[in-house]
C-alpha cells in the first residue's frame, strides 16, 4: 500500500469521526430540548392544577367563614388601636394631677393644696407652674410632662377638672394683682401695686404668663385668654404700669393665639 492510499484512508476516518461527533452533539441538544420541554410541560401542569385547586376552594368556601375572617382582621385592628391608645395614655401625669391622684414634682403637693399656697411660696417655688397649666411644650421642670392629646380630650370633657383649671387661673391672677369681674372682665385688685412690683421684679413671671395663656388656648378657654390679653395691653401701653412686659407681649403673649384673625387684631392694638 502506497503512501497516498494511507493518507486518503486517514482523511476518511477523520471525516467519519467528525460526522459521528456532530451527530452525537445534535442528539444531545435534541435530548436537552426534550428535557426542557418536559420541564415546562410539567411546570404548566402544576400551575394549572394549583389554579384549578384555588378556584375550587374559593367556590366551595363558606361565605360565613370569609366574613368571620374579615371580622377577625377587623378585631385585630381595633385591638392594636386600643393598645396604641393605652400606651399613649401611660403619659397621663397631667390628667392624674388634676384628678388629685398624684402630687406635682419636685417637692410639690396636690392641686387643692397648691391653690392655697401663699403668694410668697408661689413666687419662690418653681416646680408647680407646669402642673397647674400644662401645654404641649416641654418646660424647665423635667419631672413634669408635656400635655398629651389623649389627656387633653379627657380633661376638656371633665367638668370638675375644668373648674379646677379656672380656680388655678383665678389664683394666679390674684398673685399678679388682677381678678375676674362680671362678664369675664379682668381688673386690678386693691393691692395691685405690690403685686405688680413683684411681677416686674421677678421676670420669670413673664414666662409663666406665656404658659398660662397657652394653656387657656389648649383648653379652648378663648374668652379668658382674650380678656386677659386686652387687660395686659391696656396696662402695658396705656397706663404704662406694666410697660416692662412690652417685648413679651409682642413676641410671646400674642403668639399664643391660635386664630390668625384674632392674632392680627391684637397685633394692631400694640
Amino acid at each position: 500500500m502506497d503512501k497516498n492510499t494511507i493518507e486518503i484512508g486517514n482523511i476518511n476516518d477523520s471525516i467519519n469521526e467528525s460526522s459521528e461527533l456532530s451527530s452525537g452533539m445534535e442528539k444531545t441538544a435534541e435530548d436537552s430540548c426534550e428535557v426542557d420541554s418536559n420541564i415546562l410541560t410539567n411546570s404548566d401542569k402544576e400551575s394549572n392544577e394549583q389554579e384549578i385547586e384555588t378556584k375550587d376552594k374559593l367556590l366551595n368556601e363558606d361565605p360565613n367563614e370569609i366574613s368571620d375572617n374579615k371580622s377577625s382582621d377587623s378585631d385585630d385592628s381595633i385591638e392594636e388601636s386600643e393598645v396604641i391608645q393605652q400606651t399613649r395614655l401611660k403619659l397621663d401625669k397631667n390628667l392624674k394631677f388634676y384628678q388629685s391622684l398624684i402630687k406635682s414634682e419636685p417637692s410639690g403637693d396636690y392641686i387643692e393644696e397648691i391653690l392655697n399656697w401663699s403668694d410668697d411660696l408661689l413666687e419662690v417655688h418653681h416646680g408647680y407652674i407646669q402642673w397647674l397649666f400644662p401645654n404641649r411644650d416641654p418646660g424647665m421642670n423635667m419631672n413634669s410632662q408635656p400635655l398629651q392629646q389623649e389627656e387633653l380630650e379627657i380633661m376638656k370633657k371633665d367638668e370638675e377638672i375644668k373648674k379646677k383649671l379656672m380656680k388655678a387661673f383665678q389664683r394666679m391672677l390674684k398673685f399678679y394683682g388682677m381678678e375676674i369681674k362680671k362678664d369675664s372682665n379682668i381688673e386690678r385688685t386693691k393691692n395691685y401695686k405690690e403685686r405688680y412690683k413683684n411681677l416686674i421684679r421677678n421676670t420669670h413671671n413673664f414666662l409663666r404668663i406665656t404658659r398660662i395663656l397657652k394653656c387657656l388656648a389648649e383648653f379652648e378657654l378663648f374668652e379668658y385668654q382674650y380678656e386677659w390679653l386686652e387687660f395686659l395691653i391696656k396696662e402695658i401701653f396705656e397706663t404704662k404700669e406694666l410697660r416692662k412686659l412690652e417685648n413679651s407681649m409682642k413676641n410671646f403673649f400674642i403668639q399664643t393665639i391660635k386664630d390668625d384673625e384674632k392674632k392680627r387684631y391684637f397685633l394692631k392694638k400694640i
Side-chain angles (χ1 to χ4, degrees), residues 65-78:
E65 290 182 5
I66 297 173
S67 177
D68 289 343
N69 289 336
K70 288 183 178 179
S71 177
S72 176
D73 292 341
S74 177
D75 290 343
D76 290 342
S77 177
I78 291 170

Side-chain angles (χ1 to χ4, degrees), residues 50 77 80 85 135 187 203 214 221 225 237 240 249-250:
Q50 288 176 355
S77 177
E80 184 178 352
Q85 187 174 4
N135 62 48
E187 298 178 7
T203 57
K214 281 185 179 180
L221 297 172
Q225 182 193 28
F237 297 100
K240 309 289 186 181
M249 174 59 72
K250 291 178 179 178

Side-chain angles (χ1 to χ4, degrees), residues 259-270:
D259 184 88
D260 290 337
E261 187 176 343
K262 271 290 182 183
K263 189 180 291 186
R264 287 192 292 270
Y265 164 79
F266 278 102
L267 284 171
K268 288 178 181 178
K269 292 176 75 71
I270 61 176

Side-chain angles (χ1 to χ4, degrees), residues 223-239:
E223 180 183 2
Y224 295 101
Q225 182 193 28
Y226 300 155
E227 286 294 335
W228 197 20
L229 285 169
E230 291 276 12
F231 177 78
L232 289 171
I233 286 172
K234 179 182 176 181
E235 295 294 76
I236 294 169
F237 297 100
E238 292 182 25
T239 68

Side-chain angles (χ1 to χ4, degrees), residues 43-56:
S43 176
D44 290 342
K45 265 184 195 176
E46 289 174 4
S47 177
N48 289 336
E49 287 172 0
Q50 288 176 355
E51 188 175 347
I52 292 167
E53 185 180 346
T54 302
K55 287 179 179 177
D56 288 342

Side-chain angles (χ1 to χ4, degrees), residues 1-168:
M1 185 179 295
D2 59 18
K3 185 176 179 181
N4 290 333
T5 303
I6 292 169
E7 287 178 355
I8 290 169
N10 289 339
I11 290 169
N12 289 334
D13 290 342
S14 177
I15 291 169
N16 290 336
E17 287 175 3
S18 176
S19 176
E20 288 175 4
L21 180 60
S22 174
S23 175
M25 289 175 67
E26 287 174 3
K27 187 175 188 317
T28 302
E30 287 173 3
D31 291 343
S32 177
C33 288
E34 286 178 10
V35 170
D36 289 344
S37 176
N38 289 335
I39 290 171
L40 288 171
T41 303
N42 291 337
S43 176
D44 290 342
K45 265 184 195 176
E46 289 174 4
S47 177
N48 289 336
E49 287 172 0
Q50 288 176 355
E51 188 175 347
I52 292 167
E53 185 180 346
T54 302
K55 287 179 179 177
D56 288 342
K57 186 176 179 182
L58 289 171
L59 288 171
N60 295 326
E61 192 166 13
D62 187 349
N64 292 327
E65 290 182 5
I66 297 173
S67 177
D68 289 343
N69 289 336
K70 288 183 178 179
S71 177
S72 176
D73 292 341
S74 177
D75 290 343
D76 290 342
S77 177
I78 291 170
E79 287 178 8
E80 184 178 352
S81 176
E82 288 176 351
V83 168
I84 292 171
Q85 187 174 4
Q86 287 171 5
T87 302
R88 288 173 177 169
L89 273 175
K90 287 181 181 178
L91 300 174
D92 60 356
K93 283 186 175 182
N94 300 298
L95 176 60
K96 286 184 175 178
F97 173 72
Y98 261 88
Q99 290 173 332
S100 303
L101 298 176
I102 60 173
K103 294 181 179 182
S104 62
E105 298 178 83
S107 306
D109 213 329
Y110 293 106
I111 184 170
E112 291 83 3
E113 298 303 320
I114 294 174
L115 296 181
N116 289 318
W117 282 1
S118 67
D119 288 342
D120 290 341
L121 184 53
L122 288 175
E123 179 55 53
V124 299
H125 198 296
H126 298 284
Y128 70 90
I129 196 71
Q130 297 87 358
W131 295 85
L132 277 186
F133 302 99
N135 62 48
R136 318 248 183 155
D137 300 326
M140 300 298 289
N141 182 355
M142 299 304 294
N143 293 292
S144 65
Q145 169 206 297
L147 182 64
Q148 306 298 303
Q149 182 63 36
E150 290 76 13
E151 285 184 306
L152 177 60
E153 293 304 321
I154 294 171
M155 293 171 77
K156 284 196 300 185
K157 294 174 184 176
D158 191 311
E159 292 300 322
E160 287 301 315
I161 286 178
K162 288 195 291 186
K163 287 178 183 177
K164 289 178 183 178
L165 180 58
M166 282 305 303
K167 286 181 180 178

